[in-house]
Structures are given as C-alpha cells and as structure tokens.
Amino acid sequence: MLDASFYETADSIMARYTPDERSLIPIIQDVQEEYRYLPPELLEYIASKIGITETKAFSVASFYENFSFEKKGKYVIKVCDGTACHVRKSIPVLEYLRKELGLSSEKHTTDDLMFTVETVSCLGACGLAPALTVNEQVHSKMTPEKAAELIKELRAEG
C-alpha cells in the first residue's frame, strides 16, 4: 500500500495533462522521473483516473523498456554492453560492480536502495567505450579499477 502522498503527487502530475488515453505515457514518464520507478498501484490509479483499463495501462508500460515496476537505487548505473563497449571489456566492469554491490543478473538493486546496476544495449557513446552512466552522467573508458573509485566516491556522497 502506497502512502497518500504518492496519490497526491500523481494527481498533481495528471492535472498537467488532458485526462485521456493519449496522456498515459507522459504521465507515467513524469511519475517515474519523480520516484525512479513506476509503482504498480499508482499505474492502476492513473488508469482509473484517465478512463482506461488497468490491462491497457500495464500493457503500455511493460512494452517500453524505460519503465520499471521495481524500485531503483539513488544511483542508477547503466553499463553499456553494445558492440564497442563489449569488445573493449565492459563485462569485467559489470562483474566488478555486481560483486562489489552484492548484485546479480536477477537482483539489480541493493537492499539499502543506494545502487541499481543495469545493462543497456547502447549508450550512444561508442567513442568513449567502455562506458557507463550514473543517473545519466556518462563515465568513459571504464575499468574495474575506475569503477571501484566511482563507487567509493558515490558512497561518500550518498
């Protein structure tokens, strides 16, 4: 069960849009930007408010990879595994991050909600390979050693 503030925030977001099906994607984009994930209960609420079925809302939200129904950490780390990054050894960086943070291919977020580690097909930064982003900020020419330094800095910040 979500706190009432989630529904109040959703109401204020929905107030910026026409209450119909065409507004679903921008509304849920704004909700996800606010919470770093899309709470399923809130998606149900939004669907009822804009007059669409829950099935339709979940179908749309699950179609797009950008939407996540799972809580994300304060720092969302996306490791590129596109061709340029892969051949320049992005996998050892990913393996280091998972080991250091106690994550796996099934578990993406730390229990303290500090870090989320995901892989992506391309960051569009091939010339900087191997690359990763932390909350959309690009970090280039990564190595496990540079990733260790980055995690240390983020922990000190966090």
Coordinates of all heavy atoms in Angstrom, one line a residue, residues 79 86 89-105 117 119 143-144 147:
V79 N 25.4 0.0 -17.4 CA 26.6 -0.4 -18.0 C 26.3 -0.8 -19.5 O 25.5 -1.6 -19.7 CB 27.3 -1.6 -17.3 CG1 28.5 -2.1 -18.0 CG2 27.5 -1.3 -15.8
H86 N 31.5 -3.8 -25.5 CA 31.7 -5.2 -25.2 C 33.1 -5.6 -25.6 O 33.8 -6.2 -24.8 CB 30.7 -6.1 -25.9 CG 30.8 -7.5 -25.5 ND1 30.2 -8.0 -24.4 CD2 31.4 -8.5 -26.1 CE1 30.5 -9.3 -24.3 NE2 31.2 -9.7 -25.3
K89 N 35.8 -4.5 -23.3 CA 35.8 -5.1 -22.0 C 34.8 -4.5 -21.0 O 35.2 -4.2 -19.8 CB 37.2 -5.3 -21.4 CG 38.1 -6.0 -22.4 CD 39.2 -6.7 -21.7 CE 40.2 -7.5 -22.6 NZ 39.7 -8.2 -23.7
S90 N 33.6 -4.3 -21.3 CA 32.6 -3.8 -20.4 C 32.1 -4.8 -19.4 O 31.8 -4.5 -18.3 CB 31.4 -3.2 -21.1 OG 30.7 -4.2 -21.8
I91 N 32.2 -6.1 -19.8 CA 31.8 -7.2 -18.9 C 32.6 -7.3 -17.6 O 32.0 -7.4 -16.5 CB 31.7 -8.5 -19.6 CG1 30.7 -8.5 -20.8 CG2 31.4 -9.7 -18.7 CD1 29.3 -8.1 -20.3
P92 N 33.9 -7.1 -17.6 CA 34.6 -7.1 -16.3 C 34.2 -6.0 -15.4 O 34.2 -6.1 -14.2 CB 36.1 -7.0 -16.7 CG 36.2 -7.6 -18.1 CD 34.8 -7.2 -18.7
V93 N 33.8 -4.8 -16.0 CA 33.3 -3.7 -15.2 C 32.0 -4.1 -14.6 O 31.8 -3.9 -13.4 CB 33.2 -2.4 -16.1 CG1 32.5 -1.3 -15.3 CG2 34.5 -2.0 -16.6
L94 N 31.1 -4.7 -15.4 CA 29.8 -5.1 -14.9 C 30.0 -6.2 -13.8 O 29.3 -6.1 -12.7 CB 29.0 -5.7 -16.0 CG 27.6 -6.3 -15.6 CD1 26.7 -5.3 -15.1 CD2 27.0 -7.0 -16.9
E95 N 30.8 -7.1 -14.0 CA 31.1 -8.2 -13.0 C 31.6 -7.6 -11.7 O 31.2 -8.0 -10.6 CB 32.0 -9.2 -13.6 CG 31.4 -10.1 -14.6 CD 32.4 -11.0 -15.4 OE1 33.6 -10.8 -15.3 OE2 31.9 -11.9 -16.1
Y96 N 32.5 -6.6 -11.8 CA 33.1 -6.0 -10.6 C 31.9 -5.3 -9.8 O 31.8 -5.5 -8.6 CB 34.2 -4.9 -10.9 CG 34.4 -4.1 -9.7 CD1 35.2 -4.6 -8.7 CD2 33.8 -2.9 -9.6 CE1 35.4 -3.8 -7.5 CE2 34.0 -2.1 -8.4 CZ 34.8 -2.6 -7.4 OH 34.9 -1.9 -6.2
L97 N 31.1 -4.5 -10.5 CA 30.0 -3.8 -9.9 C 29.1 -4.7 -9.2 O 28.7 -4.5 -8.0 CB 29.3 -2.9 -10.9 CG 30.0 -1.7 -11.4 CD1 29.3 -1.1 -12.6 CD2 30.2 -0.7 -10.3
R98 N 28.7 -5.8 -9.8 CA 27.8 -6.8 -9.2 C 28.4 -7.4 -8.0 O 27.7 -7.5 -6.9 CB 27.4 -7.8 -10.2 CG 26.4 -7.3 -11.3 CD 26.0 -8.4 -12.2 NE 25.0 -8.0 -13.1 CZ 24.7 -8.6 -14.3 NH1 25.3 -9.7 -14.7 NH2 23.7 -8.1 -15.0
K99 N 29.7 -7.8 -8.1 CA 30.3 -8.4 -6.9 C 30.4 -7.4 -5.8 O 30.1 -7.8 -4.6 CB 31.7 -8.9 -7.3 CG 32.4 -9.7 -6.2 CD 33.7 -10.2 -6.7 CE 34.4 -10.9 -5.5 NZ 35.8 -11.3 -5.8
E100 N 30.9 -6.2 -6.1 CA 31.1 -5.2 -5.0 C 29.8 -4.8 -4.3 O 29.8 -4.6 -3.1 CB 31.8 -4.0 -5.6 CG 31.9 -2.8 -4.7 CD 32.9 -3.0 -3.5 OE1 33.7 -3.9 -3.6 OE2 32.7 -2.3 -2.5
L101 N 28.7 -4.8 -5.1 CA 27.5 -4.3 -4.5 C 26.5 -5.5 -4.1 O 25.4 -5.2 -3.6 CB 26.8 -3.4 -5.5 CG 27.6 -2.2 -5.9 CD1 26.9 -1.4 -7.1 CD2 27.7 -1.2 -4.7
G102 N 27.0 -6.7 -4.3 CA 26.2 -7.9 -3.9 C 24.9 -8.0 -4.8 O 23.9 -8.4 -4.3
L103 N 25.1 -7.8 -6.1 CA 24.0 -7.9 -7.0 C 24.3 -9.0 -8.0 O 25.3 -9.6 -8.0 CB 23.9 -6.5 -7.8 CG 23.6 -5.3 -6.9 CD1 23.6 -4.0 -7.7 CD2 22.3 -5.5 -6.1
S104 N 23.3 -9.3 -8.9 CA 23.4 -10.3 -9.9 C 22.6 -10.0 -11.1 O 22.0 -8.9 -11.1 CB 22.9 -11.6 -9.3 OG 21.5 -11.6 -9.0
S105 N 22.5 -10.9 -12.0 CA 21.7 -10.7 -13.2 C 20.2 -10.7 -12.8 O 19.4 -10.1 -13.5 CB 22.0 -11.7 -14.3 OG 21.7 -13.0 -13.8
V117 N 22.1 -1.5 -10.7 CA 23.0 -1.8 -11.8 C 22.2 -2.5 -12.9 O 21.6 -3.5 -12.6 CB 24.3 -2.6 -11.4 CG1 25.1 -2.9 -12.6 CG2 25.1 -1.8 -10.4
T119 N 22.2 -3.4 -17.4 CA 23.0 -3.3 -18.6 C 22.0 -2.7 -19.7 O 20.8 -2.9 -19.6 CB 23.4 -4.8 -19.1 OG1 22.3 -5.6 -19.2 CG2 24.4 -5.3 -18.1
T143 N 37.2 0.9 -16.3 CA 37.8 -0.4 -16.0 C 37.3 -0.8 -14.6 O 36.7 0.1 -13.9 CB 39.4 -0.1 -15.8 OG1 39.6 0.8 -14.8 CG2 40.0 0.4 -17.1
P144 N 37.5 -2.0 -14.2 CA 37.1 -2.3 -12.8 C 37.7 -1.4 -11.8 O 37.0 -1.0 -10.8 CB 37.6 -3.8 -12.7 CG 37.5 -4.3 -14.1 CD 38.0 -3.2 -14.9
A147 N 35.8 1.8 -11.8 CA 34.5 1.6 -11.3 C 34.6 1.5 -9.7 O 33.7 2.1 -9.1 CB 33.9 0.3 -11.8

